Amino acid sequence: MGTRRERYQIIHTIAASELKTIWLVYHPIEQVYYIMKRLPAETNTKLYEQMKIHPHPYIPSIHESFLQEGYFYVVETFVNGPTLGYVMSSHPLGEETAVRYIVQLCEALNHLHHLNPPLIHRDIKAENILIVDQHIMLIDFEIARQFSETANKDTQVLGSVGYAAPEQYGFNQSDERTDIYAVGVLMNYLLCGRHPKDGIASGRYEKIIQKCIAIDPKDRFQHVSLLSQSLYKKPNEEKKTKHSYALPGFRSHNAAVWIVSALLYFLLILLCMNVTITGRQVSASYVLTMRVSLFAIWMIWILIMGN
């Protein structure tokens, strides 16, 4: 059978450097193609074990990993698709497509950030995202790290220039807000084709991008789920939220509905204030109290039905 590495036939060398070698390989017994990576022996093996146990549809599955002959090998699902960077270079993405990819990326990162311990990718960029059947696949976890509550900064200064958050340069420890910073840079690139330093995309996503790329992590979205929620929010949602506390009839953005509602409320007030109450000993204060009570009953009924 040979060694575990020799079980795979090397079909093509995808990349080779001092730090890692990536091959397209074929397993003749399983009759399946895989991606095999040869990494330094000091690679965080627990990180890949964690990813194998907890797969996600937007992340290539880990088939197996092992130490052999002074190297650490990772075998993962072969994903055949262009990088997001290549797609962008061939034709601009529409806003709807760009935001859909960002939402999918947030789903993948939310999965990673909720592992125990949380896994921080630290190298989010267009070249590390593949497009397969209109959905993304997040790849290249070689500089990912597991978050530690006891650490005050990263042990290695790593990350792609332009996408790396300030804390990746040794000032603080990377956490999920580090990935959020890179998502903001990527979103700006997808929407307007520029790095944020050359101009922020205008429109409804401008403030979202600015919040993502804030220098101080405390000023960014604190969790990727909050970023996802902001992307789903419609442009007029804040106005609608404010109007939801208004009386029924005044929550609409239609001026005609406002006028009709105001007229009906006015008629209700006139009706209640002109109710006649008879009796031998009926004081003016008693009549007023009854009229106000009647109006309150009608308003409670309107509020219940209006909600």
Side-chain angles (χ1 to χ4, degrees), residues 20-275:
K20 67 178 178 181
T21 303
I22 304 176
W23 297 289
L24 171 64
V25 299
Y26 180 72
H27 196 297
I29 298 176
E30 297 179 3
Q31 297 184 345
V32 177
Y33 288 94
Y34 292 102
I35 293 295
M36 176 183 283
K37 298 179 181 180
R38 185 176 67 186
L39 307 172
E42 58 271 19
T43 299
N44 185 354
T45 60
K46 293 182 179 180
L47 183 150
Y48 289 96
E49 292 171 1
Q50 193 177 29
M51 291 174 59
K52 181 180 179 181
I53 297 172
H54 303 284
H56 189 274
Y58 295 151
I59 300 172
S61 300
I62 305 298
H63 179 63
E64 69 169 330
S65 60
F66 52 89
L67 286 166
Q68 184 177 310
E69 299 173 352
Y71 291 101
F72 178 64
Y73 290 86
V74 178
V75 181
E76 61 185 45
T77 303
F78 170 54
V79 178
N80 189 14
T83 67
L84 183 53
Y86 177 82
V87 173
M88 278 289 294
S89 66
S90 59
H91 62 273
L93 295 179
E95 182 179 287
E96 182 180 348
T97 301
V99 174
R100 184 175 75 249
Y101 289 158
I102 292 297
V103 169
Q104 292 174 0
L105 176 60
C106 287
E107 290 181 26
L109 291 176
N110 191 56
H111 169 76
L112 297 174
H113 295 168
H114 279 82
L115 296 178
N116 186 22
L119 196 158
I120 314 302
H121 189 280
R122 297 203 301 166
D123 202 16
I124 302 295
K125 58 182 180 180
E127 289 71 25
N128 285 341
I129 296 173
L130 302 180
I131 303 300
V132 184
D133 297 330
Q134 299 302 308
H135 68 79
I136 67 131
M137 293 294 283
L138 180 59
I139 62 172
D140 201 346
F141 286 78
E142 276 62 74
I143 71 167
R145 69 185 298 274
Q146 291 172 310
F147 177 77
S148 172
E149 293 183 354
T150 59
N152 55 19
K153 66 178 182 179
D154 293 353
T155 55
Q156 289 181 296
V157 179
L158 295 171
S160 296
V161 176
Y163 286 89
E167 58 268 23
Q168 286 181 259
Y169 293 96
F171 298 104
N172 293 296
Q173 181 188 190
S174 299
D175 59 22
E176 58 187 291
R177 296 170 297 181
T178 302
D179 284 343
I180 290 172
Y181 181 96
V183 171
V185 175
L186 177 63
M187 191 191 314
N188 198 74
Y189 172 64
L190 297 184
L191 290 174
C192 68
R194 298 191 301 268
H195 188 277
K197 66 180 178 63
D198 298 321
I200 303 292
S202 60
R204 57 174 292 201
Y205 299 108
E206 180 178 358
K207 291 184 178 180
I208 296 176
I209 294 171
Q210 290 176 333
K211 189 174 180 66
C212 287
I213 62 172
I215 298 300
D216 190 338
K218 294 179 181 178
D219 295 331
R220 301 176 203 156
F221 292 100
Q222 299 301 290
H223 305 285
V224 74
S225 58
L226 298 176
L227 170 56
S228 295
Q229 292 172 17
S230 70
L231 293 172
Y232 281 119
K233 187 178 293 184
K234 297 180 181 179
N236 294 325
E237 190 166 327
E238 291 185 5
K239 294 181 180 179
K240 290 182 180 180
T241 301
K242 292 179 181 179
H243 290 155
S244 67
Y245 295 101
L247 291 172
F250 292 106
R251 300 172 186 174
S252 170
H253 294 274
N254 190 317
V257 175
W258 281 32
I259 294 172
V260 172
S261 300
L263 180 61
L264 292 175
Y265 280 117
F266 178 72
L267 292 174
L268 176 62
I269 293 173
L270 286 179
L271 176 65
C272 292
M273 297 309 295
N274 285 282
V275 170

Side-chain angles (χ1 to χ4, degrees), residues 269-290:
I269 293 173
L270 286 179
L271 176 65
C272 292
M273 297 309 295
N274 285 282
V275 170
T276 302
I277 300 174
T278 58
R280 294 181 179 181
Q281 298 179 341
V282 177
S283 64
S285 60
Y286 177 81
V287 172
L288 179 61
T289 300
M290 292 302 295

